[in-house]
Structures are given as structure tokens and as C-alpha cells.
Amino acid sequence: MLEELRITSLGVIEETVLELGRGFTALTGETGAGKTMVVTALDLLLGGRADTGAVRTGARAARVEGLVHCEGSVLEELAAAVDAAGGDLDDGRLLLARQVFAEGRSRAFAGGASVPVATLSSLAGPLVAIHGQSDQHRLLQPSAQRDCLDSFAGEKTLTLRARFSRGCAALRATEGELADVVASARERAREADLLRFGLGEVEAVDPRPGEDATLAADETRLGFADTLRTAAEQARELVSADDGPDALGAVSAARRLLDGVRDHDPEVAGLADRLAEVSYLLSDVAADVSSYASDVETDPAQLAAVSERRAALLALTRKYGETVEDVLAWAEHSAARLLDLDGTDERITELTDRRAALRSELAAIGTELSAERTEAAARLAGVVTAELTSLAMPHAEVRVAVTRSEVSEPSEPPPGAHSQSLPVDGRAVRFGPTGLDDVELLLAANRGAEPRPLGRGASGGELSRVMLAVEVALAATNPVPTFVFDEVDAGVGGRAAVEVGRRLAMLARHAQVLVVTHLPQVAAFADQHVVVVKSSDGTVTTSGLTTLDDAGRVRELSRMLAGQEDSGTALAHAEELLAVAEPSRSRSA
């Protein structure tokens, strides 16, 4: 229940506080006084769109605060949600706030914590339901009528609808992928041919990791074989010649000289040993150089083979990578891609089978959903018709038509096409994210009249009462602690207005009801009457909220009746209205 509403710098309201109790509160005032600003303030608390134009001229920001009191299971759920958002409850009360700055920014608070506007909406949305004149026009839309029926039908219907919506999304995604695969089949075939050609070239050469570097070294060695052999032979002669002076002979002579005197000085003995090591090394090097020289052969055929192999590898690296390793990596990736491309037909078959399964599943869910809606439609029609009897439409009858639209198309769409219908009982039935059904509210306003759609068969006043009756019916299945009605009695007058007031009073026995109205017949049934008073100092207009006592109510109802607060006839009529409404007021029950 909403206990208090504080408004600052919003529209014509500079600062005011509205204290609310249980039951039915009527909010009245002259045209332009600012009644709509109260509804705007509540909409901001519910996470509605912030309009900087609503900030009072000259003010830095507009601020709205609401104190909500909850009990029972609602309190437990709310406490958990507020705690998750970082806020706190105070003795079962939640303080909600919304601040709208003139430059365009907006901030939201819940339980003392700054929260996103979406969080404010999720917290307050289940606690307060606002209905205005725009809801009457919304009720004319088929989607809104379907939503009303599903909400009335209950949890099972809403669960089936959610399952159908998820299945529909999965079907659209599958059909989209199938369309892409089919449309790209030619491009995929062309890509597969190019990959096969490239993989064939790589397979024909059969490169091995590091082979390019090895072949480069071999080609250089074979190309300079004569030069390498001549250099090796000359080097061997210098190290160890068959005749004449060489390095090995000179080192050996030096070692013998030092060996002859090594007994006379230990240092000389060490030098002699080192020369012996050098002699051994030179002997090994001479043998290795000699072996190398004998192994080096001039082989034009092998050189040609190496050059040819290098040319083949170079042709691959020009097309498929900088190195042989890059070419091998390209071949591995391309082979995997080719498997995917070659599986196009299999993929089309797989997606086609999945689409068929999804269509079959959706048809089954949609059929079950239709059955639930049909059963709920009869109940909703009965409840709303009964409510209209209480709203001065005793001969009116409401029907809720649940129908399907058949289309002419193949039982199974071709690959690449999107489903427009589902097969249900041998027929092709059009479908959408919400199911197979078209839902329409029909009204026969008078006995014997043919039921017609609301948009063509209801006047403004009748539409107002139908909307109120639907809301009362929904309240019975999904109760909301607080209802706010913004001039939903537009187009209603006379006896019908009295019955609207009485029905609102009856609704207030089970929930808190706040009604912005211009009808005295409706305001008379309120437990609390608040008037929006406008004042002006000649330059600035300001509005404030005043809760009326009994005498004040009589004067306000008189003004609403006759435009005069002191008319004797109007005052008497106002007192009569209050007397008629007294037994029906929720606090009198």
C-alpha cells in the first residue's frame, strides 16, 4: 500500500505531500490544476520515462518520493529484492525516490540505495498498477486483449506462452541458418574447389618441416663443391704435408726441444705438455680435413634435383605461406574447412530435420495453449459481463473470441523459406511469438445486438466501463496492492457514473484505489477526498494538495456539479450524493 507521496518541483507543483490510507481516495481539481502531475509522479516512481519538460521552471531538478508499506509474502519477496539492490526496509516500509534533472539526467533510489531505473521498475511494478485513458485505446489492440486473456487464464497459460515464444525464436534462428546455408551453397562449392586444388598442390610436393632450410644449405654446398674440395686439400697440406714443412711438423719439433730440457724447469715441462696437446689436435684436424676433401664430390644431377625441389617449395610458399611451416598450417586449416564445406548437404538435411521437429513441437504447444485460452475466454467473458451489470450496463454482454487464421502454403516450406504457418489438425494455421490464436473482445451493448469488436461497437463511456470491468476481473486472479485510475470515467455520466463510483468503492474493499476524476458521482464514493488547489501571485502558478473534511467535500462536489461552491441547490445535491454513496464506501463496510 502506498502510504505517502511527496512531490517537489514537478510541473505546477512546487512542493506537496499526499498522505494516503486504505480504501478509495479521489483526487479532483479544476482543469489545469495539476491532477495529472500526481499520476506523472507515480509513473516516475514506477520507472517510467523521465521527461525534463516536467521539471518546474527555474528548478534544478524534480523529485518524487513514495513510501510503500507491505505485509505477508509480498513483504518477504520485496525485502529480498531490496537487499539484493543494496537497500533496506524500515519496519516493513520501502522508500522509493526518483530525481529528474533539468539538463536531462535521472536518478533512482530504493531503500536509501542508488539503483538503476529498471530496478526501481521491478521493485515497484508489482505493487502499483496505473491505468489511464490511454489504456482504453490500448485495450482496442488485439495484442493487449490477448495479454488480458492470458493474464486472467493464469500461470499454466503464461508458462505455455513462454515456451511457445522460446520455441518460435529457436525456429526462426534455425530457418535463418538454413536460408544462409542454402543461399551460400554455390559460393561454398566454389570455395571447396579452390581448397581441393591447393591441397592437391601441397600433397603433390609433400613438404616436411624445416626442409626449405636444409635444401638451401645442400644447394650451396653442391654448387661450390670444387672450390670446397680445393680449399680442404690445401688446408690439409698446410697442416700435415706428405713432404716439406707443415704445421704439424713444426709443432712436433718445438715439443721435442722443450721435452729435452723439461727436467730443468717445471714451467718448461708444462709448455711441452701443451705443445703435445696441440700436436694431437692438429693431427685430428688434418685427418678430418682430409676426409672432408675426399667426400666432396661434384654431382650435377644431385644439384639439379635439390634446385628443383627448392623451386617446388618456393612455389608453395608464394601461394600459401612465408615458410614451409606456414604452408603446412594452411593445409591443416584448409582440410578442416573442406570437411565443413563438403558437409553442406548433410547440414541442410540436419537443419531441415530440426526445423520439422520444432514446427511439430510448436504445433503441439500451440494447440494446448489454444485449449487453455478457449476455456479461460468463457470464464473471462462471464466475469466481465457480470461486472458490466454492476456498472449500469445490465443488458451488455462481452464475448472473448479465440480464433485461428488459416493460410494457403505448402505443409513444409522449402529450404531457405521462413514458416508462415504450422500444421494443426491437417490445416496450415498462421502463428506468431504468442501462439496460434487471434484474441478479440466483442461487446453487445444491448440485448439482441450482435457482438461487435470494441473499437466499432463501444462508445467512449462504454469502453471506460469495459476497461474497468476487465481490470476488476484481472485483479481477482492477480491482485495488486494499489490501483491508480486516471480519468478512466471519461465519457461516463449520470447513472453510469454512480455505478462506476460504486464499483470502485467495492474494489477498494480489497485494494488501495486512487482515482483522478472529474465526476462528482465518482468522487462521492471515496473514503478520502483530495483536491488539487491552484494559486498564482500573478507571475508564478503553484498547485498543492489538500485533504478535505466533510464540509470541504460538500463544497468541492458542489463546484464539480455546478461550477459554484455556494449554490444552495448544488450543495444539497452534493450532500445527497454523499448520502447515497455512504453505504458503499469501503471504510463503511
Side-chain angles (χ1 to χ4, degrees):
M1 182 183 75
L2 185 63
E3 289 189 342
E4 182 179 288
L5 182 66
R6 182 182 296 272
I7 306 172
T8 305
S9 299
L10 184 67
V12 295
I13 299 177
E14 183 175 9
E15 184 172 6
T16 192
V17 177
L18 175 61
E19 294 183 355
L20 298 168
R22 297 182 182 276
F24 178 5
T25 298
L27 188 67
T28 65
E30 294 182 359
T31 301
K35 300 187 296 298
T36 302
M37 284 297 104
V38 176
V39 179
T40 300
L42 287 170
D43 185 59
L44 287 173
L45 282 183
L46 295 179
R49 187 177 66 87
D51 181 8
T52 57
V55 178
R56 183 173 173 81
T57 303
R60 175 175 170 268
R63 184 177 178 87
V64 180
E65 297 178 357
L67 188 63
V68 180
H69 179 231
C70 298
E71 299 175 342
S73 60
V74 175
L75 175 59
E76 295 177 3
E77 295 176 3
L78 182 64
V82 173
D83 182 68
D88 297 302
L89 295 182
D90 184 9
D91 192 23
R93 290 170 171 80
L94 171 64
L95 180 63
L96 303 171
R98 183 80 178 276
Q99 194 166 14
V100 181
F101 294 90
E103 66 269 19
R105 292 184 298 115
S106 171
R107 297 185 64 189
F109 303 87
S114 178
V115 298
V117 173
T119 300
L120 192 68
S121 177
S122 66
L123 292 174
L127 304 177
V128 182
I130 299 180
H131 300 280
Q133 295 183 57
S134 60
D135 290 271
Q136 297 179 19
H137 300 288
R138 185 180 62 85
L139 191 61
L140 299 178
Q141 301 173 3
S143 60
Q145 295 177 9
R146 181 170 46 238
D147 292 344
C148 288
L149 175 61
D150 291 346
S151 179
F152 177 82
E155 183 177 354
K156 182 177 180 180
T157 299
L158 294 174
T159 300
L160 287 171
R161 173 170 165 166
R163 286 178 57 196
F164 193 95
S165 179
R166 290 192 297 270
C168 185
L171 176 62
R172 292 309 185 202
T174 299
E175 290 181 329
E177 184 178 356
L178 179 58
D180 290 341
V181 172
V182 171
S184 62
R186 181 175 299 174
E187 289 75 9
R188 293 166 70 90
R190 186 181 300 113
E191 182 184 355
D193 287 343
L194 291 174
L195 290 177
R196 287 193 190 92
F197 178 80
L199 289 171
E201 285 190 321
V202 175
E203 184 178 0
V205 176
D206 190 22
R208 294 177 295 278
E211 185 182 6
D212 48 350
T214 301
L215 289 175
D218 289 347
E219 186 178 45
T220 301
R221 185 183 69 255
L222 291 169
F224 291 90
D226 292 339
T227 302
L228 291 171
R229 183 172 56 256
T230 300
E233 290 175 347
Q234 292 177 353
R236 185 190 64 78
E237 288 291 330
L238 290 174
V239 173
S240 176
D242 294 334
D243 54 4
D246 57 16
L248 182 60
V251 171
S252 297
R255 186 192 66 180
R256 287 193 297 273
L257 289 173
L258 293 180
D259 275 342
V261 296
R262 66 183 299 149
D263 295 335
H264 304 303
D265 189 344
E267 184 175 354
V268 171
L271 292 172
D273 292 340
R274 291 171 63 187
L275 284 172
E277 293 176 4
V278 171
S279 178
Y280 299 147
L281 289 174
L282 284 173
S283 179
D284 289 343
V285 168
D288 290 343
V289 171
S290 177
S291 175
Y292 176 81
S294 62
D295 289 342
V296 174
E297 296 180 358
T298 302
D299 190 343
Q302 185 179 4
L303 176 61
V306 169
S307 298
E308 183 179 355
R309 179 68 176 174
R310 283 200 70 198
L313 292 178
L314 184 61
L316 294 181
T317 56
R318 279 200 301 264
K319 294 181 179 180
Y320 308 115
E322 294 292 331
T323 64
V324 168
E325 283 75 12
D326 293 338
V327 172
L328 292 172
W330 176 88
E332 182 179 0
H333 176 269
S334 297
R337 174 62 177 166
L338 185 59
L339 286 175
D340 178 59
L341 294 174
D342 286 342
T344 297
D345 292 340
E346 291 80 2
R347 185 59 176 163
I348 290 176
T349 301
E350 178 187 345
L351 291 172
T352 301
D353 292 343
R354 184 193 301 175
R355 180 182 64 178
L358 286 170
R359 283 167 53 83
S360 177
E361 180 183 0
L362 279 176
I365 297 173
T367 299
E368 186 177 0
L369 177 58
S370 295
E372 292 294 323
R373 282 173 170 163
T374 301
E375 187 275 333
R379 291 190 289 111
L380 178 60
V383 173
V384 174
T385 297
E387 289 295 332
L388 290 178
T389 300
S390 301
L391 293 171
M393 295 178 67
H395 305 302
E397 180 185 2
V398 167
R399 295 182 188 175
V400 183
V402 180
T403 60
R404 295 173 178 173
S405 299
E406 296 185 34
V407 296
S408 298
E409 68 171 11
S411 58
E412 191 72 23
H418 290 286
S419 299
Q420 300 298 321
S421 66
L422 295 175
V424 179
D425 298 331
R427 298 176 299 165
V429 177
R430 189 179 301 278
F431 74 102
T434 58
L436 307 171
D437 310 305
D438 298 318
V439 177
E440 189 170 34
L441 268 65
L442 307 175
L443 173 67
N446 301 293
R447 183 177 297 159
E450 186 69 22
R452 301 182 63 192
L454 290 181
R456 299 198 298 270
S459 65
E462 290 169 341
L463 188 58
S464 296
R465 282 176 280 177
V466 170
M467 197 203 76
L468 179 58
V470 170
E471 189 56 54
V472 171
L474 295 179
T477 58
N478 186 24
V480 176
T482 300
F483 289 93
V484 179
F485 294 96
D486 181 18
E487 296 191 10
V488 295
D489 49 17
V492 177
R495 179 168 173 266
V498 173
E499 295 304 326
V500 168
R502 182 175 286 114
R503 199 66 192 88
L504 288 168
M506 292 177 64
L507 180 61
R509 297 174 188 267
H510 310 287
Q512 183 185 43
V513 177
L514 174 62
V515 179
V516 177
T517 181
H518 65 281
L519 293 180
Q521 297 95 326
V522 172
F525 283 87
D527 302 298
Q528 177 180 258
H529 192 151
V530 178
V531 64
V532 182
V533 181
K534 181 170 65 174
S535 61
S536 175
D537 62 1
T539 58
V540 178
T541 299
T542 302
S543 292
L545 303 176
T546 302
T547 301
L548 301 177
D549 56 16
D550 291 343
R553 291 192 70 176
V554 173
R555 288 194 298 273
E556 174 64 8
L557 291 177
S558 173
R559 181 198 65 77
M560 296 172 71
L561 285 164
Q564 303 177 49
E565 297 182 2
D566 300 324
S567 167
T569 301
L571 289 171
H573 191 183
E575 291 176 345
E576 182 182 2
L577 273 178
L578 290 170
V580 169
E582 175 62 28
S584 299
R585 295 193 192 112
S586 62
R587 294 183 186 175
S588 300

